[in-house]
Amino acid sequence: MKILRIDSSAQTEAGQSRHLADRIIDRLTDAGKPFDVTVRDLNNPLPQLDHAWINANSTPEEDRTDQQKDVLALSDTLIAEIDAADMLIIGAPVYNFSIPASLKLWIDLICRARRSFAYSDTGPKGLLSGKTAIVCFASGGTDFGSDIDFASGYLRHILGFVGITDVTFVAANRHFMDDTAITRAEGEVDAWVDQLGLPKDDRLRPATKAGVN
């Protein structure tokens, strides 16, 4: 099993979305299924889209210059990471009622016509299907799924837009105000891993942990 882990919390140690992602990895390890992990930590900042990127992306692939190919190289890499994965673990803290800017930059770079989605007579079709995603939602005060939560609905939509429709959220919900929120979220992680039905008789550590800048 190949896992792509996306971390977007600005907190590298105390972030609750990172804590939940760590717990998922630990529980999968305990379950005994070997897996490779690619880590994309968005604290290593991604570039914003600019005119050169838009122009390169709008140019037919066969007509792109070497410079345009270089401009799109990072986007190609990010999409390839998703394409190679069986499972995505996405850390999504709520900043000002929505996702962090770093995660939005990642989304902007992976949503590309003809690469991650295609237009058809019936509307857009995602091209990155056949994957599972679990989103580690962490909010200090924004209630998950509420009218002021502009993070979870957007993430579910954008993942579906590129073809990933098997999406689960585990939520450390309003943890600044609720001392039990983290414990409940940990329980959601444990229940989700248990539902995967992974074997428990071959206690293997992860095969690989590959950090990516």
Side-chain angles (χ1 to χ4, degrees):
M1 181 168 62
K2 294 184 178 181
I3 295 173
L4 173 61
R5 172 174 172 169
I6 307 293
D7 284 311
S8 64
S9 174
Q11 298 193 80
T12 56
E13 300 295 333
Q16 295 304 328
S17 64
R18 290 179 185 268
H19 167 69
L20 293 176
D22 286 341
R23 189 176 183 90
I24 293 169
I25 297 295
D26 290 344
R27 284 301 315 276
L28 289 171
T29 299
D30 292 342
K33 187 175 180 66
F35 54 88
D36 297 336
V37 182
T38 296
V39 178
R40 175 63 66 174
D41 191 335
L42 301 181
N43 266 342
N44 299 315
L46 299 174
Q48 295 188 55
L49 304 193
D50 58 14
H51 173 73
W53 193 98
I54 297 295
N55 189 47
N57 189 49
S58 301
T59 301
E61 186 172 359
E62 62 274 15
D63 296 332
R64 287 173 189 152
T65 66
D66 289 341
Q67 184 178 10
Q68 288 176 321
K69 292 175 184 177
D70 289 343
V71 167
L72 295 175
L74 175 58
S75 173
D76 290 337
T77 296
L78 296 176
I79 294 170
E81 288 174 359
I82 301 172
D83 199 34
D86 303 301
M87 177 188 298
L88 277 67
I89 301 172
I90 301 175
V94 176
Y95 292 171
N96 300 312
F97 313 107
S98 188
I99 61 173
S102 60
L103 186 53
K104 180 58 167 62
L105 289 174
W106 178 80
I107 289 169
D108 287 345
L109 288 166
I110 64 99
C111 287
R112 282 174 57 191
R114 300 174 298 279
R115 289 299 308 274
S116 57
F117 70 94
Y119 293 110
S120 70
D121 292 340
T122 58
K125 178 181 179 181
L127 301 178
L128 300 174
S129 59
K131 306 172 190 307
T132 298
I134 181 165
V135 179
C136 301
F137 177 99
S139 71
T142 300
D143 202 17
F144 176 76
S146 69
D147 290 343
I148 61 171
D149 167 17
F150 300 102
S152 62
Y154 173 68
L155 285 173
R156 187 182 295 278
H157 174 79
I158 209 71
L159 289 169
F161 182 69
V162 297
I164 304 171
T165 57
D166 184 358
V167 180
T168 299
F169 283 80
V170 292
N173 193 40
R174 301 175 75 243
H175 61 81
F176 287 171
M177 304 176 181
D178 183 351
D179 292 340
T180 68
I182 305 302
T183 301
R184 289 202 312 272
E186 291 171 343
E188 291 175 10
V189 166
D190 296 347
W192 181 79
V193 173
D194 289 343
Q195 288 175 0
L196 295 179
L198 299 175
K200 298 180 181 294
D201 58 345
D202 186 18
R203 305 275 174 168
L204 297 176
R205 302 301 298 176
T208 305
K209 284 193 177 182
V212 181
N213 293 323

